[in-house]
Amino acid sequence: MKRNTLARAAAGGGRLRRLIGIGLVSTTLLMGAELAIAQPASALPCRTNCGDPADDPLPVDKPSRPGGYEPLYVALGDSFGSGEGAPDAMLPWTNEKCHRSALSAPIRAAKRLAQNNQFAGNILYTSYACSGATLNQGPKLDGTPRDGGILTGQTSSGQPSQISQINARYGSRKIDALSISIGGNDLSYADILKDCSFGNCVPWDSPTRKMFDWDAPRLQVSLRDLITAIQGDANGNGRTLAGNASYVYLTAYPDLFNDSNAVTCNSTGGAFVEGFTTAENGVMRGYLQQLNTFLAQAVAEANARPTAGHKPVWKLIAAPDFTRNGYCAATKRYINNLEMSLVAQQDANGTMHPNAAGHQEWSNQLYNALSWIATSAG
């Protein structure tokens, strides 16, 4: 669905009954963009506190890492990683095609690492996350193609695979930490929201149930492909990432569907928005929980897989607690509804994505997992 289709729908009333989920369609809801300090492909990796000189700590004498080593953090992913829904007021997107935002959780976490660096020199960070990204290309249930992005090129952005972008910039250089936000688009989550918005996704024979049954086993296969791309199979074959990653972090998705009282949203209303019923929110929450289970299983499988040569440590970063901060929360809302997306970024694509406050909260989870980088001698 094109972006102007959403605009016409918002103006038409009637079927607007529950447009809140539709805002994600054009970028295929959850997922994608460039993390860490999003930079043009021609630029050098961001060093220290890019874009926030006022926040730079005062110079102090610090020891150097052995050999002057500078740790490297790279972020991959979809729109939840890119910062869709949280454009910066001064420079909305550091990469327009991918809707990468300087306010995204990975970038904010990376800047905190740089600020808290206990050694002389820099902590390097770059992101290739891109809205709409999936692990692989291939057909969805309705025959339309997936966008690709992590392991294959991405059709919508015209970008090569995010793995190949790492290789092009860093070659065989060691990657201290690699975070990946992925899976929502592989489960056709934007289409699930669309079905719940315009139809009824609760019955067992609904399009949503059929899509999930089609997508789930394919996502699990793609996650195994991701493991192979990063560390190879048991014989060391199939690896496409040139550098050795010390730690690989998959990031779980937060709960989007509660109000300020931790109660499941139920048709709360708002401009152009009626919302989803409690039952429909339950369906959508259930699939997000299943997605997080798939991610946890992939981490366990990667750590258990025998691998010839270098093998990274895989971890799952738990989702931030948005129990009282969902899209229908009266105060301290961390998830955009359609109205918020239209105001923040003048389109509907940020709907059901974290806003700037949500990404700030999420960045705390990332930083807690990655803080060792700031104190490690390498």
Side-chain angles (χ1 to χ4, degrees), residues 33-353:
E34 194 172 293
L35 300 169
I37 253 334
Q39 315 198 60
S42 59
L44 293 173
C46 178
R47 296 168 183 268
T48 68
N49 303 311
C50 303
D52 284 331
D55 294 333
D56 286 351
L58 295 174
V60 295
D61 291 331
K62 297 179 180 179
S64 296
R65 290 181 172 89
Y69 180 74
E70 295 182 326
L72 172 63
Y73 164 44
V74 177
L76 307 181
D78 51 33
S79 58
F80 265 47
S82 70
E84 185 77 75
D88 190 314
M90 298 299 294
L91 176 65
W93 309 117
T94 57
N95 182 296
E96 178 68 30
K97 290 183 178 179
C98 287
H99 275 199
R100 295 183 191 124
S101 170
L103 299 182
S104 67
I107 292 179
R108 284 175 157 174
K111 290 170 111 175
R112 284 182 65 186
L113 290 174
Q115 291 167 344
N116 295 320
N117 186 11
Q118 300 300 299
F119 294 87
N122 302 298
I123 294 176
L124 311 180
Y125 47 99
T126 302
S127 170
Y128 299 103
C130 194
S131 285
T134 61
L135 284 162
N136 283 312
Q137 295 177 338
K140 298 194 288 186
L141 177 61
D142 63 3
T144 58
R146 301 188 193 283
D147 206 14
I150 303 293
L151 303 176
T152 62
Q154 187 168 349
T155 303
S156 64
S157 68
Q159 302 287 319
S161 75
Q162 294 177 30
I163 294 286
S164 66
Q165 290 180 67
I166 296 176
N167 294 341
R169 175 170 290 186
Y170 294 110
S172 59
R173 187 205 192 282
K174 172 186 172 183
I175 301 168
D176 295 87
L178 178 66
S179 71
I180 308 173
S181 167
I182 200 66
N185 292 325
D186 298 85
L187 280 185
S188 303
Y189 207 75
D191 295 322
I192 290 175
L193 287 169
K194 180 179 177 181
D195 181 39
C196 290
S197 178
F198 286 143
N200 182 359
C201 61
V202 176
W204 287 103
D205 60 349
S206 69
T208 286
R209 309 284 187 178
K210 294 175 182 177
M211 281 188 287
F212 184 83
D213 289 344
W214 172 273
D215 291 330
R218 288 163 176 79
L219 170 58
Q220 291 173 295
V221 170
S222 291
L223 286 168
R224 295 187 185 101
D225 291 341
L226 176 67
I227 298 169
T228 300
I230 292 174
Q231 67 184 43
D233 62 16
N235 298 312
N237 299 321
R239 176 172 161 173
T240 57
L241 181 65
N244 290 335
S246 297
Y247 289 87
V248 179
Y249 299 90
L250 301 187
T251 58
Y253 291 92
D255 191 332
L256 315 176
F257 306 106
N258 280 342
D259 64 16
S260 303
N261 297 313
V263 176
T264 301
C265 300
N266 183 35
S267 297
T268 56
F272 306 123
V273 176
E274 182 181 341
F276 302 100
T277 67
T278 300
E280 288 169 334
N281 279 305
V283 169
M284 294 184 292
R285 172 185 286 121
Y287 287 141
L288 272 188
Q289 291 172 343
Q290 185 61 62
L291 169 55
N292 287 338
T293 296
F294 290 152
L295 296 175
Q297 291 171 343
V299 166
E301 180 175 336
N303 287 324
R305 179 190 290 187
T307 300
H310 174 78
K311 181 177 178 179
V313 175
W314 291 66
K315 296 187 176 184
L316 180 70
I317 298 180
D321 183 5
F322 288 4
T323 302
R324 298 178 181 270
N325 312 104
Y327 77 86
C328 65
T331 60
K332 206 173 181 182
R333 185 182 296 170
Y334 290 165
I335 301 297
N336 291 320
N337 61 19
L338 176 61
E339 181 183 10
M340 294 170 67
S341 178
L342 292 174
V343 170
Q345 60 186 70
Q346 291 75 57
D347 63 34
N349 303 316
T351 309
M352 298 295 270
H353 287 76

